[in-house]
Amino acid sequence: MALPPDKASEMKQIIRQQLAKMDVHGRIREVLAETIRDEIAPEHQQLSTDDLMKALRRRGIIDDVMKELKVVTDMNNQEVTLDPKPSTHFVDRQPPVLKKTNIDPTRRYLYLQVLGGKAFLEHLQEPEPLPGQTCSTFTLYLLFRNQRFRSKPVPCACEPDFHDGFLLEVHKDSLGDGSKMMDATTMLSICDPVHMVLIKTDMFGETSLVASYFLEWRSVLVAENRITNIAVELLGVGTESKVSVGVLNIRLEMYPQLNKILSQEIINTQFALERQKTAEKERLFLVYAKQWWREYLQIRSSHNTRLVKIFAQDENGINHPVCSYIRPLRAGRLLDTPRQAARFVSVLGYERAPVIGGGSGKQEQWCTLLAFLCRSKGDCEDHANLLCSLLLGYGLEAFVCVGTKAKAVPHTWVMTCGTDGIITFWESLTGHRYIHSPIHPDDPPLVEQPKPTYPYRTIGCIFNNQAFLANCQPSDAVEVCAFDLRDESKWKPMSEEAIKSVCSPGATTSLPPFPPLCASTIDAAVASNEIELQLRILVSEYRKDLGLTTVWDDQLSYLLSPALAAYELERTTSISAGNEEFQDAIRRAVPDGHTFKGFPIHFVYRNARRAFATCLRSPFCEEIICCRGDQVRLAVRVRVFAYPESACAVWIMFACKYRSVL
């Protein structure tokens, strides 16, 4: 395994120190003198290297050195010295646990190695981090046929030091063939790529999407020595989707070794057939979509201004039918209810796609699900697509709605249709639910009309993984819309067969399979304690600058916990519970003649300093933190609620009690 020059010199230094510590040179001199004296005739005082090595082995000196250096052999029979010294310039917040993998000898595996990167020119002038300093890092995420992997974070550099290996199982989906060892011909029919997503995390913990790449791995099926090396050029995302951001060196190997390899001609023919089939399906769908759009415009000329979105661009600038962004997604044991799923989606960060330059125009970018989950933030379309997929997984009839909110701002949200005809809107950015009660403009003036509580103004179309319907009612205002989706005079549908041809899971034109959700790696109790301790320090320092002393009341801080739990429960279920007990406990804790003030606030990140700065912008919170009076006691309580994909809801409450002095 090739090492960069700086690592090689460091390793040599460690080996020299270890050899000196064991006095290996002195022992070699003794063996050399003894060998010359005892084993070689006086008239032949010449000693070859082989003779010396045999003597050293016979006396066990080489074995002692190898044991002391802890040399191990990896999968490629390459000797790798384990360096006991930790990295000094960045912190892996989730250190990997090295453990043996149970390999089924009856299955076929693809071993993918990332052997460094180069030409990441944006980081050409990246300063060398000081020891102990946290710097920006790259992390590589992989998805292959329902299997997810994550590399160790490496410092951002022009040549990032990626050295990771991932063992990908290549298996058939059908139960009948699932247990058979796959041959090269069978694997050639598996057209699923390896989806690779590169994420940059800055020193403040903010993530950004650098690249999203689909690796064609089947070239390894023609490699004579079962190994193939590929230089993968990564392109940027969004407005930079045509610009190279760097190159990754990839090595692919097959385990067990193939008995028979395929010819390059067969591989090329298969790829050409797949491209031809995909292009034909896309062409036929485009022809149908154009005809459908012409028919829709003939219904009413004003339809041309409605938000009817048939195609959307992904992070690589490639157009896909919007229905392909939706697929029923089951959360396993990670989320128990649809409302809990809505809460999970809402705590993923919201960020509009970045635009280079000024202007108020919105950059369109519908991310693939893996890119959205790895970055842990996205636009409203990403949130709505994920929530709709989760609700479909729970067996609900769910659709993504495309329309506008106040001031004609384009927006997407989710709608479910109950078997009793009740229409419910789900706001994916907040988790709020709204019941839709339509207004009937033709009713007499004395008839009381419902007042909409939702923020949505117009609706142009709705869609899920199997259906696409455009609103063809006289008005596209949400408050007067009727959601009788089977009435084609109100909602013009697309052909289900046409949608299925390009959006079904097996279609070559559709997006890659959805990744399974991962359990949180956050220890909620530890994270809560860390943030609370940091906030106490920040508050004490802030008050010290104002010339105020700080006395903390641990008991009062503990009494704030039930309130924070109740707030999260209410956000998840819309049910308020436990408020009576909290109020009773506070009344008992605050003596007569004293005043109590509390300020709860909610975040979706764990940066204590950033949260504290936000809290100070509220006059209510600042009043508590800067409290003056007699017998002032301060309290703060933090409660972190962990969700899948290491998303979290962070509740913080600042409180104080003091004697009222008139």
Side-chain angles (χ1 to χ4, degrees):
M1 180 175 66
L3 289 174
D6 57 336
K7 292 284 185 183
S9 61
E10 183 180 356
M11 183 135 353
K12 289 177 182 177
Q13 182 64 27
I14 294 172
I15 293 174
R16 289 194 195 100
Q17 292 173 357
Q18 196 64 41
L19 293 178
K21 178 182 175 183
M22 298 173 62
D23 192 25
V24 171
H25 297 93
R27 295 169 67 183
I28 290 176
R29 281 194 292 270
E30 292 176 5
V31 171
L32 180 59
E34 183 181 341
T35 304
I36 293 175
R37 185 178 65 253
D38 298 341
E39 300 183 11
I40 300 181
E43 64 273 12
H44 298 98
Q45 291 294 321
Q46 292 183 352
L47 183 65
S48 68
T49 305
D50 291 340
D51 294 332
L52 179 59
M53 291 298 291
K54 289 177 182 177
L56 292 174
R57 282 198 184 94
R58 194 160 56 244
R59 287 159 177 78
I61 295 176
I62 290 180
D63 290 339
D64 292 343
V65 171
M66 298 301 279
K67 287 178 184 177
E68 196 66 29
L69 289 177
K70 296 184 175 65
V71 176
V72 298
T73 304
D74 73 353
M75 292 182 65
N76 300 319
N77 295 321
Q78 297 167 321
E79 292 184 345
V80 183
T81 305
L82 298 182
D83 184 359
K85 295 203 304 181
S87 176
T88 59
H89 49 263
F90 78 99
V91 177
D92 184 0
R93 295 177 181 82
Q94 299 163 5
V97 178
L98 300 178
K99 55 184 179 181
K100 293 182 179 179
T101 302
N102 293 324
I103 297 180
D104 187 346
T106 65
R107 294 293 185 97
R108 188 77 68 183
Y109 294 91
L110 174 68
Y111 185 49
L112 186 152
Q113 289 177 279
V114 185
L115 303 177
K118 58 186 178 181
F120 285 79
L121 300 181
E122 186 176 339
H123 302 277
L124 187 61
Q125 304 298 328
E126 197 84 13
E128 189 70 23
L130 299 173
Q133 177 187 2
T134 302
C135 67
S136 301
T137 60
F138 283 139
T139 307
L140 189 65
Y141 295 84
L142 272 67
L143 169 67
F144 179 68
R145 295 173 69 80
N146 216 39
Q147 305 165 64
R148 290 180 64 178
F149 303 88
R150 171 185 177 272
S151 75
K152 296 186 293 291
V154 300
C156 294
C158 183
E159 297 185 355
D161 189 25
F162 284 109
H163 280 90
D164 279 287
F166 309 96
L167 198 62
L168 285 59
E169 184 179 342
V170 186
H171 59 85
K172 290 286 285 182
D173 292 327
S174 60
L175 294 176
D177 298 330
S179 59
K180 293 182 179 178
M181 172 74 78
M182 294 174 57
D183 56 15
T185 306
T186 308
M187 286 189 287
L188 183 61
S189 65
I190 298 177
C191 56
D192 293 329
V194 179
H195 190 186
M196 307 170 66
V197 170
L198 183 63
I199 298 292
K200 177 183 176 181
T201 307
D202 67 16
M203 61 183 66
F204 304 107
E206 291 296 311
T207 57
S208 57
L209 178 62
V210 178
S212 175
Y213 184 82
F214 296 95
L215 174 68
E216 177 53 71
W217 57 274
R218 289 175 288 179
S219 58
V220 73
L221 301 178
V222 302
E224 293 185 2
N225 59 348
R226 78 174 181 175
I227 299 175
T228 183
N229 293 295
I230 306 172
V232 171
E233 182 183 18
L234 301 178
L235 300 179
V237 296
T239 55
E240 302 176 35
S241 58
K242 306 299 181 186
V243 181
S244 175
V245 295
V247 176
L248 289 180
N249 297 317
I250 306 291
R251 174 180 291 176
L252 300 175
E253 300 180 52
M254 268 294 167
Y255 289 97
Q257 191 169 357
L258 293 171
N259 296 326
K260 180 182 178 183
I261 62 172
L262 302 178
S263 67
Q264 188 66 50
E265 184 180 358
I266 293 177
I267 290 278
N268 294 339
T269 303
Q270 175 70 16
F271 291 170
L273 288 173
E274 289 177 2
R275 286 193 295 268
Q276 181 181 352
K277 183 180 178 182
T278 299
E280 180 64 13
K281 285 187 175 182
E282 290 177 345
R283 186 189 69 81
L284 291 175
F285 183 78
L286 184 59
V287 169
Y288 169 76
K290 286 182 176 179
Q291 176 62 30
W292 180 92
W293 177 246
R294 282 193 293 268
E295 294 172 358
Y296 180 68
L297 293 181
Q298 290 172 5
I299 299 174
R300 200 173 285 107
S301 59
S302 62
H303 286 181
N304 193 37
T305 61
R306 296 190 178 182
L307 284 177
V308 178
K309 192 161 192 60
I310 303 173
F311 295 93
Q313 287 187 352
D314 65 9
E315 63 264 27
N316 292 323
I318 300 173
N319 279 307
H320 299 278
V322 292
C323 296
S324 64
Y325 288 87
I326 308 296
R327 207 166 295 170
L329 179 62
R330 294 169 61 177
R333 308 255 181 208
L334 301 179
L335 298 168
D336 296 321
T337 66
R339 296 192 186 190
Q340 194 178 12
R343 178 60 177 157
F344 155 62
V345 175
S346 72
V347 299
L348 292 170
Y350 168 63
E351 181 181 85
R352 293 180 60 174
V355 180
I356 298 178
S360 58
K362 179 183 177 183
Q363 169 67 28
E364 179 186 15
Q365 180 178 303
W366 292 33
C367 283
T368 55
L369 184 54
L370 181 66
F372 176 40
L373 293 177
C374 294
R375 192 168 57 132
S376 293
K377 58 185 175 184
D379 213 333
C380 59
E381 293 88 357
D382 304 322
H383 287 79
N385 291 338
L386 175 56
L387 178 56
C388 182
S389 298
L390 286 168
L391 296 182
L392 287 170
Y394 282 109
L396 301 180
E397 186 180 10
F399 298 87
V400 172
C401 304
V402 180
T404 63
K405 52 184 182 181
K407 299 181 181 179
V409 175
H411 191 61
T412 58
W413 65 96
V414 179
M415 176 188 81
T416 53
C417 306
T419 54
D420 52 4
I422 293 179
I423 301 298
T424 306
F425 294 146
W426 303 63
E427 177 49 62
S428 58
L429 296 179
T430 63
H432 292 162
R433 301 165 64 254
Y434 309 95
I435 303 298
H436 173 65
S437 300
I439 294 175
H440 302 286
D442 298 331
D443 286 351
L446 294 178
V447 176
E448 186 178 356
Q449 298 286 1
K451 292 183 179 181
T453 57
Y454 42 78
Y456 317 119
R457 296 292 180 264
T458 66
I459 182 168
C461 66
I462 63 173
F463 64 90
N464 60 18
N465 61 313
Q466 295 178 328
F468 183 95
L469 302 105
N471 184 2
C472 52
Q473 298 171 64
S475 172
D476 62 351
V478 178
E479 57 187 15
V480 298
C481 273
F483 288 91
D484 183 2
L485 304 182
R486 288 161 185 79
D487 187 347
E488 295 192 9
S489 66
K490 295 183 174 65
W491 295 91
K492 179 174 174 57
M494 268 194 174
S495 163
E496 289 189 12
E497 288 299 318
I499 294 172
K500 188 177 180 180
S501 68
V502 291
C503 299
S504 62
T508 54
T509 58
S510 66
L511 289 165
F514 276 16
L517 295 183
C518 288
S520 177
T521 58
I522 297 173
D523 187 322
V526 172
S528 301
N529 288 334
E530 289 179 351
I531 298 173
E532 190 171 308
L533 179 60
Q534 293 172 31
L535 287 175
R536 285 197 175 200
I537 295 171
L538 291 170
V539 170
S540 298
E541 291 177 348
Y542 188 80
R543 285 176 61 86
K544 184 179 180 180
D545 292 340
L546 298 175
L548 300 173
T549 59
T550 305
V551 181
W552 294 101
D553 188 330
D554 292 337
Q555 176 62 15
L556 183 60
S557 297
Y558 179 72
L559 295 182
L560 303 178
S561 295
L564 301 183
Y567 297 149
E568 182 63 19
L569 180 65
E570 186 175 3
R571 287 289 182 97
T572 305
T573 64
S574 302
I575 298 172
S576 180
N579 194 40
E580 299 82 359
E581 294 88 345
F582 168 67
Q583 292 182 357
D584 186 64
I586 295 299
R587 289 192 191 100
R588 291 175 177 275
V590 178
D592 292 339
H594 284 64
T595 300
F596 171 83
K597 292 181 180 179
F599 176 78
I601 191 168
H602 169 256
F603 299 99
V604 294
Y605 52 81
R606 292 176 288 141
N607 188 322
R609 191 172 294 274
R610 180 180 165 193
F612 183 63
T614 303
C615 292
L616 286 177
R617 289 199 286 268
S618 167
F620 302 104
C621 184
E622 188 182 23
E623 184 181 343
I624 292 173
I625 292 174
C626 303
C627 181
R628 295 172 181 266
D630 186 22
Q631 298 182 20
V632 175
R633 298 292 183 268
L634 293 177
V636 62
R637 192 65 171 174
V638 177
R639 181 71 167 86
V640 174
F641 296 88
Y643 286 92
E645 299 296 329
S646 296
C648 61
V650 180
W651 283 96
I652 301 173
M653 181 179 264
F654 291 99
C656 69
K657 66 177 181 178
Y658 58 94
R659 182 190 293 276
S660 302
V661 179
L662 298 176

